[in-house]
Amino acid sequence: MTQRETYIDFLRTIGLILLIGVHVNAPEWYVPMRSFDVPLMVFVSSICYRPLKNGYLAYGWKRFKRIYYPVATFLVIFFILWALYSQLTGAPHMKLTTMAGSFLLLNWPSIGYVWIMRVFLMMALIVPLLYVCVRKAGMTVTTLAVLAIIGVQYFLIQGASAIDNKIVRYVADETVLYAVGYSTVAVLGLKIREFTQCGLYVFIAVTAGCILLFMSQHGWSFDPQDYKYPPQSLYLLYGLFGSATLWSLRPVLGRYTGGQVFRYFSENSMWIYLWHIIPVYAIAPIAEMPDMWVGRYVIVMSGALMLNYAYQQTCRCFKRLIAR
C-alpha cells in the first residue's frame, strides 16, 4: 500500500477508537474532545471516493449492500442472543418497535449506536452528487462552500422546527438535516487532496476562528454534543477542524502508519464497531462505576475484536463446508 492509503487506514482507526471510547460512559473531558469522530469517518470515506464507472444505480446498490448487509446480519445475531438472554434470566424481551427502529437505523427507537450506519449510507449515496458539484472548485470556493452549508443548515433546522406534522418533521430531522449537515465534511474530503499545505493551514485557521467566534457568542462554552442531533454549527465546525488538522499531520505521522494493526482495524472497522455493541450491553451493570473507564474500554474493545475473529472463522468454516 502507498503512504497515502496507509494514512487513511490510520485515520479510520482513530475514528473507530474515538467512537467506541464514548460508549463506555467516558469522563466528561473526553466527550467534547472526541466529538469529531463521526465527521472524521465521513471525511475519510469521501477521500476514498472515485468517479462512477458503471452508473449511479449500480454504485448505489453496491454501497447499500456493503453498508446495510453487515448491519442487518449483526442485528439478527444480536436479537437472537437477546432472546436467549431474556429466556435464561427473565430480562424484558426486546420491543418490536425497538427492533424495527434498529433495522431502520433510527436514533430512536432502537438499540442505539446503529444510527451512525444511516449517516454512512446516506452520505455514500450523496457523495457522487456532491462530487459533480464541487469537482472544479478550488480551495477558496471549497472553504466558502462548507461554511455556506453550515449556514443553510441553520435555516433548515429552523424551518423543520416549524413543521406541524410530527411524522414529516421526524423524517426531515432524520434524513434531510443529517444529509445536509454531514455534506460539509464530505465536500472537504472530496477536495482535500487538492489543498496545498498552506491552504490546509488557512482552512484550519478559518474553522478555528469560527469556533472561537461561536464560543464568544455562547459564554465560551465548548460542547459540540449539544449540536450533534441533528449536526449543526459548533459540531460541524469542530468536525471540519479535527479532520483537516489530522490530514495536515500526514507528512509527519504518515511514516508511522504502515503497520498491520492500522490496516486490520481499517478493513474491519464496520464489523468491529457493530460487535462492540454486545460487550457495551454486557458491561451495563458496571457502566456507572467511577474511575473504571479505561477498564471498561479495554473490555469492550477486546470483546469486539474477539467477536469479530470468531465471526470471521465461523464464516470461513461455513464456506469450506459448502465448497465440499
Side-chain angles (χ1 to χ4, degrees):
M1 299 177 70
T2 65
Q3 176 179 321
R4 180 175 295 175
E5 290 170 332
T6 58
Y7 195 68
I8 288 174
D9 288 341
F10 169 73
L11 292 180
R12 190 175 281 118
T13 301
I14 293 298
L16 177 65
I17 289 173
L18 293 175
L19 274 170
I20 293 178
V22 80
H23 293 160
V24 288
N25 195 22
E28 291 185 3
W29 62 264
Y30 180 84
V31 178
M33 181 277 293
R34 64 89 218 178
S35 291
F36 63 91
D37 47 11
V38 179
L40 177 63
M41 298 297 269
V42 175
F43 170 78
V44 171
S45 296
S46 300
I47 290 177
C48 298
Y49 174 75
R50 295 293 180 271
L52 302 180
K53 293 182 179 180
N54 299 316
Y56 181 79
L57 292 179
Y59 163 86
W61 178 240
K62 181 179 179 180
R63 297 301 298 172
F64 175 82
K65 291 190 295 183
R66 184 173 180 178
I67 295 174
Y68 190 77
Y69 279 20
V71 182
T73 301
F74 166 78
L75 288 174
V76 169
I77 295 172
F78 179 88
F79 290 130
I80 290 174
L81 292 176
W82 186 270
L84 294 173
Y85 171 74
S86 299
Q87 194 68 27
L88 293 173
T89 65
H93 290 280
M94 194 69 68
K95 295 181 180 178
L96 291 177
T97 52
T98 301
M99 296 171 66
S102 299
F103 279 104
L104 291 173
L105 310 181
L106 301 180
N107 292 59
W108 182 89
S110 75
I111 63 171
Y113 314 112
V114 293
W115 68 269
I116 293 174
M117 298 301 171
R118 183 179 85 255
V119 172
F120 296 159
L121 180 57
M122 285 194 301
M123 296 317 302
L125 299 178
I126 292 171
V127 159
L129 307 179
L130 293 175
Y131 174 78
V132 173
C133 294
V134 303
R135 60 183 175 180
K136 295 183 180 179
M139 291 183 295
T140 301
V141 173
T142 300
T143 301
L144 294 175
V146 296
L147 296 178
I149 294 173
I150 293 175
V152 169
Q153 179 77 332
Y154 172 81
F155 291 105
L156 288 176
I157 290 173
Q158 298 302 310
S161 65
I163 297 176
D164 294 328
N165 189 297
K166 292 183 178 180
I167 296 177
V168 174
R169 178 177 176 178
Y170 183 80
V171 172
D173 285 344
E174 298 294 302
T175 56
V176 176
L177 298 183
Y178 277 79
V180 173
Y182 283 104
S183 290
T184 56
V185 285
V187 167
L188 179 64
L190 288 170
K191 302 299 295 183
I192 199 72
R193 294 186 191 275
E194 301 174 20
F195 277 42
T196 63
Q197 199 67 15
C198 180
L200 263 177
Y201 294 148
V202 170
F203 183 88
I204 292 168
V206 169
T207 52
C210 290
I211 290 172
L212 291 174
L213 179 61
F214 182 92
M215 291 172 60
S216 70
Q217 300 299 313
H218 294 79
W220 295 103
S221 173
F222 180 75
D223 192 356
Q225 287 291 112
D226 288 344
Y227 302 89
K228 185 176 182 178
Y229 306 105
Q232 55 188 299
S233 55
L234 183 60
Y235 176 77
L236 294 174
L237 287 168
Y238 187 53
L240 292 165
F241 172 81
S243 300
T245 299
L246 284 174
W247 187 258
S248 73
L249 296 174
R250 184 168 56 112
V252 178
L253 299 179
R255 67 191 71 175
Y256 307 111
T257 60
Q260 292 299 312
V261 171
F262 293 127
R263 180 172 182 175
Y264 178 82
F265 273 88
S266 178
E267 291 177 346
N268 295 274
S269 59
M270 182 178 296
W271 275 111
I272 292 173
Y273 178 83
L274 292 170
W275 290 125
H276 100 281
I277 297 173
I278 293 178
V280 163
Y281 269 78
I283 67 167
I286 63 170
E288 300 300 325
M289 296 181 67
D291 304 323
M292 286 190 63
W293 174 59
V294 174
R296 290 193 297 269
Y297 187 90
V298 171
I299 292 172
V300 169
M301 181 61 81
S302 300
L305 292 172
M306 287 188 289
L307 287 169
N308 187 60
Y309 176 79
Y311 176 75
Q312 289 179 335
Q313 293 303 310
T314 301
C315 289
R316 291 192 183 103
C317 291
F318 185 71
K319 289 178 180 178
R320 284 197 293 267
L321 289 174
I322 294 177
R324 291 180 180 177

